[in-house]
């Protein structure tokens, strides 16, 4: 083999190796993109599941005619703009299961678990995680914190909440208001959520992007992370017609 033939062979080999490297890099990028897209969908489903359960159970009373069971689906700590990027949601329901979903050890005269008030609170931590706090007890003024505030879901850049109010008592939601702006908390029939979720990895072109989450504008940094906006509404089952 002459020197010219050897150089030609090396050049061809270099082109082949370069092509293989580009193919591997493209496949790796596509895999990372798909993995992060699936991650965002999984996180959205998780958020819908845990928030949906709390909203649907809110306001439940085992004996609606019994004045011992206070009528109140919304807690006292609901707050619009609890942090720079999120609101705070607090829901209450009477349940014979505590925050760990275990039966109440306190029994009634018939040996059945007593119904205590269970309070669930959701907000954002400083590092952008959706946090959950749960308290349980026989009355609103004697609740025990069983689950201290802990992050459940990372990568949440916005957590906005609206409340569906039945202004004319016809059983239908007439408008969506911010926390505390309702005329009567007992007429709140549903809750609407706006979630902006961000992926863990930088897998997209780093561009500045702006989002509107339930009327709140948010500017996202150009860090290459995927972001998806999720908007969903849930009915308070005890008040739905």
């Amino acid at each position: 083999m002459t020197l010219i033939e050897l150089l030609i062979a090396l050049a061809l080999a270099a082109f082949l190796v370069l092509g293989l490297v580009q193919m591997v890099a493209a496949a790796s990028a596509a895999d990372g993109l798909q993995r992060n897209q699936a991650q965002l969908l999984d996180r959205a489903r998780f958020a819908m599941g845990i928030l949906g359960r709390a909203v649907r159970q809110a306001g439940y009373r085992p004996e609606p005619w019994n004045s011992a069971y206070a009528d109140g689906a919304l807690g006292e700590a609901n707050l619009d703009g609890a942090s720079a990027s999120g609101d705070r949601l607090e829901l209450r329901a009477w349940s014979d299961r505590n925050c760990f979903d275990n039966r109440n050890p306190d029994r009634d005269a018939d040996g059945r678990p007593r119904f205590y008030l269970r309070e669930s609170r959701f907000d954002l931590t400083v590092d952008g995680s959706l946090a959950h706090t749960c308290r349980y007890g026989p009355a609103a003024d004697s609740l025990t914190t069983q689950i201290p505030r802990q992050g459940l879901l990372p990568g949440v850049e916005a957590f906005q909440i609206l409340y569906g109010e039945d202004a004319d008592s016809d059983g239908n939601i007439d408008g969506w208001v911010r926390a505390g702006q309702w005329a009567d908390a007992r007429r709140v029939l549903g809750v609407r959520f706006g979630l902006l979720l961000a992926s863990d990895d930088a897998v997209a072109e780093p561009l500045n992007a702006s989002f509107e989450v339930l009327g709140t504008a948010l500017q996202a940094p150009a860090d290459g992370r995927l972001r998806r906006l999720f908007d969903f509404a849930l009915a308070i089952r005890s008040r739905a017609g």
Side-chain angles (χ1 to χ4, degrees):
M1 180 178 294
T2 65
L3 180 59
I4 294 178
E5 292 173 332
L6 180 59
L7 292 175
I8 293 174
L10 290 175
L12 292 175
F15 279 118
L16 290 174
V17 171
L18 180 60
L20 290 174
V21 169
Q22 291 176 337
M23 290 176 59
V24 171
S28 177
D31 178 71
L33 180 63
Q34 292 178 352
R35 177 165 41 81
N36 280 268
Q37 287 176 335
Q39 179 190 72
L40 292 180
L41 291 176
D42 287 342
R43 289 178 175 177
R45 281 191 289 265
F46 177 80
M48 292 179 188
I50 190 169
L51 293 172
R53 180 185 178 188
V55 171
R56 286 190 295 268
Q57 293 179 347
Y60 175 76
R61 295 189 294 165
E63 299 174 356
W65 59 88
N66 190 344
S67 60
Y69 297 111
D71 181 14
L74 301 179
E76 301 170 356
N78 289 279
L79 181 63
D80 182 54
S83 66
S85 56
D87 300 334
R88 182 193 300 141
L89 174 69
E90 186 175 88
L91 301 168
R92 290 176 176 172
W94 290 94
S95 177
D96 59 353
R97 294 180 179 271
N98 63 17
C99 295
F100 303 105
D101 214 26
N102 297 324
R103 293 285 187 182
N104 189 353
D106 188 9
R107 306 282 168 156
D108 60 17
D110 297 323
R112 293 173 299 188
R114 292 185 183 276
F115 279 80
Y116 278 5
L117 196 60
R118 185 169 65 188
E119 179 186 271
S120 295
R121 182 184 298 181
F122 301 91
D123 57 9
L124 291 186
T125 63
V126 293
D127 62 351
S129 294
L130 180 63
H132 175 227
T133 306
C134 185
R135 302 196 300 165
Y136 190 69
D141 58 356
S142 55
L143 298 176
T144 300
T145 300
Q146 295 186 331
I147 300 179
R149 188 168 181 258
Q150 61 179 9
L152 292 178
L153 185 69
V156 183
E157 295 192 340
F159 179 58
Q160 299 295 324
I161 304 170
L162 294 175
Y163 301 82
E165 184 179 17
D166 177 14
D168 54 10
S169 301
D170 65 350
N172 298 310
I173 293 176
D174 299 305
W176 297 93
V177 299
R178 297 287 180 183
Q181 295 182 359
W182 48 70
D184 188 344
R186 293 172 297 181
R187 293 184 180 180
V188 174
L189 306 184
V191 183
R192 183 179 173 187
F193 297 95
L195 290 174
L196 180 62
L197 305 182
S199 65
D200 290 340
D201 305 322
V203 293
E205 187 177 355
L207 298 174
N208 287 315
S210 58
F211 298 88
E212 185 171 318
V213 188
L214 296 188
T216 299
L218 181 68
Q219 187 70 31
D223 55 9
R225 299 166 68 190
L226 288 180
R227 288 175 173 83
R228 294 292 183 269
L229 180 60
F230 298 91
D231 184 336
F232 57 97
L234 301 163
I236 298 176
R237 186 177 296 173
S238 64
R239 299 180 178 180

